[in-house]
Amino acid sequence: DTGMVRAMVGGNLLTALRTAAASSVSIKHLARKDAKVMGMVGAGHQATFQLRAALEQREFEKVIGWNYHPEMLPNIEKIANEAGLPFEAVPLERMTEADVVISITSTFAPSIMADHIAPGTHIACMGTDTKGKQEVEAALLARATVFTDEVAQSISIGEAQHAVGAGMIEESDVHQLGAVINGTHKGRSSDAEITLFDGTGVGLQDLAVAASVVDLAVKNGVAIEV
């Protein structure tokens, strides 16, 4: 309310946590209740946070994964095994076996094509947003019901920019995830519907997670008061 500084908080870990939390919230509200197979596209540092948070949302029985550099897949296999789940490295074509897919890559050419995603799947596109970035084929957004955390960012620097630019979808086809959370959008309408969440990342998420951490640090007596 006042702009008075309350705390100084290191952002690296919190950014990783809040990015994973955003996709996890989308899974909570949009994935089918009976989702069993978790698919990961990307196996870098952020992917481990993504998978750990995602596995909290459903009773998953298996994790499958693909990465451009296959030697990095043990990063996410370790998280799956910690959760007591088997892991299998698969080609992208086998992402059709997944009920939920998280894409966490930094790429300017789509890895995931429309025919890699089966009806009823929820997919979260969580890679770094910038002009030109593209994790999934634009045709997939045309097949899916699209949700995001910030519409303006999604259509300009996020996953929706290419589909909107090509006239495949309109800005009005991109819905706020918050509308599902507060009940003004029904969210998933059938078990055959593909839902897609474009996590663009907004500053308010950083503020929210930082505020929670500051409260916890004060409560636990580990905050350093200056």
Side-chain angles (χ1 to χ4, degrees), residues 1-54:
D1 292 334
T2 65
M4 178 74 73
V5 174
R6 180 166 178 230
M8 182 184 294
V9 183
N12 288 354
L13 174 61
L14 298 193
T15 296
L17 290 171
R18 68 93 161 150
T19 305
S23 62
S24 185
V25 169
S26 82
I27 294 167
K28 176 180 179 179
H29 290 278
L30 295 172
R32 297 194 331 269
K33 300 300 182 191
D34 63 349
K36 300 298 182 193
V37 178
M38 180 72 216
M40 292 294 301
V41 176
H45 178 67
Q46 179 65 46
T48 61
F49 289 89
Q50 291 287 330
L51 181 55
R52 190 177 284 114

Side-chain angles (χ1 to χ4, degrees), residues 41-215:
V41 176
H45 178 67
Q46 179 65 46
T48 61
F49 289 89
Q50 291 287 330
L51 181 55
R52 190 177 284 114
L55 292 178
E56 296 180 1
Q57 296 300 340
R58 294 290 185 273
E59 296 295 324
F60 290 106
E61 297 176 354
K62 181 180 181 180
V63 179
I64 61 176
W66 177 90
N67 194 58
Y68 185 76
H69 299 286
E71 66 273 13
M72 295 177 68
L73 287 170
N75 291 341
I76 53 177
E77 181 176 16
K78 180 172 181 258
I79 303 302
N81 293 163
E82 284 175 1
L85 301 178
F87 174 83
E88 184 181 0
V90 299
L92 281 168
E93 291 77 11
R94 283 187 56 195
M95 279 296 148
T96 54
E97 299 172 18
D99 303 304
V100 175
V101 175
I102 292 177
S103 178
I104 181 72
T105 62
S106 297
T107 177
F108 290 84
S111 301
I112 301 173
M113 299 296 146
D115 60 3
H116 292 160
I117 300 298
T121 303
H122 173 64
I123 177 168
C125 301
M126 304 303 298
T128 304
D129 285 345
T130 187
K131 199 71 179 171
K133 74 85 75 162
Q134 188 173 17
E135 298 189 86
V136 305
E137 187 179 23
L140 178 58
L141 279 80
R143 283 182 61 200
T145 306
V146 181
F147 299 86
T148 189
D149 46 13
E150 176 57 59
V151 174
Q153 287 189 180
S154 179
I155 65 172
S156 59
I157 60 171
E159 203 57 43
Q161 63 181 291
H162 302 282
V164 170
M168 293 180 174
I169 65 172
E170 303 289 331
E171 179 178 346
S172 58
D173 295 320
V174 182
H175 309 285
Q176 290 273 8
L177 179 61
V180 181
I181 296 170
N182 70 23
T184 56
H185 189 291
K186 64 183 177 182
R188 171 175 293 279
S189 60
S190 76
D191 285 346
E193 183 180 18
I194 295 173
T195 53
L196 184 147
F197 173 67
D198 178 22
T200 68
V202 292
L204 190 60
Q205 295 166 354
D206 293 297
L207 287 171
V209 72
S212 296
V213 167
V214 169
D215 288 343

